Amino acid sequence: MNLSGIIGYPVTPFSQDNKHVAIDKLGHVIDVLLDAKVDAIAALGSAGEAAYLNEAEWKQVAEYTVQHVAGKVPVIIGIAELTTEQAVQYARHAHQTGADMIMLSPFSYFKLSEAEIFQHYETVAGASPLPIMIYNNPATCGVDMSPEFMLKMVDRIPSAIMIKESTGDIQRMHKIYTLSDGNVPFFNGCNHMALEALNAGASGWCTAAPCLIGDKPGQLYDAIKQGESEKAKELFYQQYEFLEFIVSSGLAAAVKSGLALQGTDVGSPRKPLLPLNNQAQQRLRGMLEALA
């Protein structure tokens, strides 16, 4: 599967009492991403609060996302589960619903060895025919995989075909590129590193930013691919404060607050997560008005 460009991440809307997924509003969020001309949509990532959904809700969001996108762009389903058994169930469900790929993260309570991580990926790969994006995000998953180890999995697990790197260390991306001779696609998962990562050979950028600022991330990607370095630099620094803010403030809280400021109430993040306070909302409003 060839995939490149901007992978957009929808938030998961909740009802006013925070007890249920507001599935009708999820359709609106997906439409916002499609209008922003993203190249793929990745449901059930960090921005989608996947860790805060029960199994029925998780499956509901996966199914609805595939149905609503309706083949317009590829759909990637994020899986980050504590047990291999649960990850296998979700990988099978993603395939049954018609998703195009899974983005698989190891998730730990006890520290995992490389042998345990490899077994996790190999088992999930054996349970579903979907291609796998290996996702390294130690800040949320508690597991840090080296470029060498991830490339070993790409080499030995046929369906593991690409990598998403989210440590914020540009040297990791340089290593992935050089050790694979540029043959293994990798994606940037760190918003404030977008310019460096794309210049380092990243195939694309995984981000929730298009939920609020439309195709501006796509404009940056296109400028780099077209060799317009000064334009790319200008576009990046226009977005930089906003990109850093939504991560440092919490993706789900920031994007949901931003959507509310733009006229779409998608509820609050799930407790213990809190919505943005008034001061942060006002700062976000100013940035969105500047980027409009």
Side-chain angles (χ1 to χ4, degrees):
M1 178 181 181
N2 292 321
L3 187 64
S4 61
I6 303 298
I7 300 178
Y9 283 65
V11 293
T12 300
F14 292 126
S15 57
Q16 288 303 309
D17 61 8
N18 223 236
K19 292 182 178 178
H20 308 287
V21 173
I23 206 71
D24 56 325
K25 293 183 179 179
L26 178 57
H28 174 78
V29 177
I30 292 170
D31 287 341
V32 168
L33 290 172
L34 292 173
D35 288 344
K37 299 181 175 61
V38 298
D39 298 286
I41 286 178
L44 298 161
S46 301
E49 296 178 76
Y52 299 88
L53 304 180
N54 63 39
E55 183 169 339
E57 291 171 332
W58 191 98
K59 290 180 175 179
Q60 181 186 29
V61 169
E63 291 167 10
Y64 183 86
T65 301
V66 172
Q67 291 167 6
H68 194 83
V69 172
K72 296 180 181 72
V73 296
V75 172
I76 304 165
I77 299 296
I79 300 174
E81 295 300 314
L82 206 54
T83 67
T84 300
E85 180 182 6
Q86 189 65 51
V88 162
Q89 287 186 30
Y90 282 176
R92 287 175 175 155
H93 188 76
H95 176 239
Q96 290 163 4
T97 61
D100 299 285
M101 176 179 282
I102 56 176
M103 181 178 61
L104 181 62
S105 310
F107 197 86
S108 76
Y109 177 84
F110 293 110
K111 184 175 174 62
L112 300 177
S113 68
E114 287 191 348
E116 289 167 331
I117 298 168
F118 188 94
Q119 174 186 253
H120 183 73
Y121 275 86
E122 190 174 48
T123 303
V124 173
S128 168
L130 291 179
I132 294 172
M133 177 185 286
I134 298 170
Y135 182 16
N136 189 43
N137 189 10
T140 56
C141 293
V143 179
D144 191 2
M145 297 179 286
S146 70
E148 292 86 351
F149 175 66
M150 290 189 287
L151 289 170
K152 182 174 85 170
M153 289 201 290
V154 170
D155 184 55
R156 298 186 185 180
I157 301 173
S159 60
I161 61 171
M162 59 185 66
I163 293 168
K164 178 183 173 185
E165 223 316 299
S166 295
T167 59
D169 180 0
I170 193 66
Q171 299 305 320
R172 305 281 190 109
M173 297 187 186
H174 292 320
K175 274 202 168 184
I176 293 168
Y177 188 89
T178 55
L179 291 172
S180 71
D181 293 323
N183 292 320
V184 174
F186 64 93
F187 285 76
N188 171 52
C190 191
N191 273 323
H192 64 271
M193 279 182 53
L195 182 65
E196 293 171 278
L198 293 170
N199 278 322
S203 297
W205 173 15
C206 302
T207 178
C211 290
L212 299 178
I213 61 171
D215 69 344
K216 285 184 169 53
Q219 291 177 31
L220 170 59
Y221 173 82
D222 289 342
I224 290 173
K225 292 305 169 184
Q226 291 162 12
E228 298 175 318
S229 58
E230 285 303 312
K231 180 180 178 182
K233 186 176 175 182
E234 181 182 352
L235 286 165
F236 175 69
Y237 283 113
Q238 285 173 3
Q239 302 171 46
Y240 176 77
E241 183 185 5
F242 164 80
L243 295 172
E244 193 277 332
F245 175 86
I246 62 173
V247 174
S248 63
S249 301
L251 273 176
V255 174
K256 286 184 170 184
S257 289
L259 286 168
L261 289 169
Q262 293 175 340
T264 301
D265 183 3
V266 292
S268 298
R270 267 201 174 147
K271 295 176 181 177
L273 301 180
L274 292 171
L276 297 190
N277 60 34
N278 288 337
Q279 183 180 2
Q281 286 188 42
Q282 291 310 308
R283 186 179 169 202
L284 178 58
R285 182 193 298 275
M287 286 186 282
L288 291 176
E289 288 174 353
L291 287 165

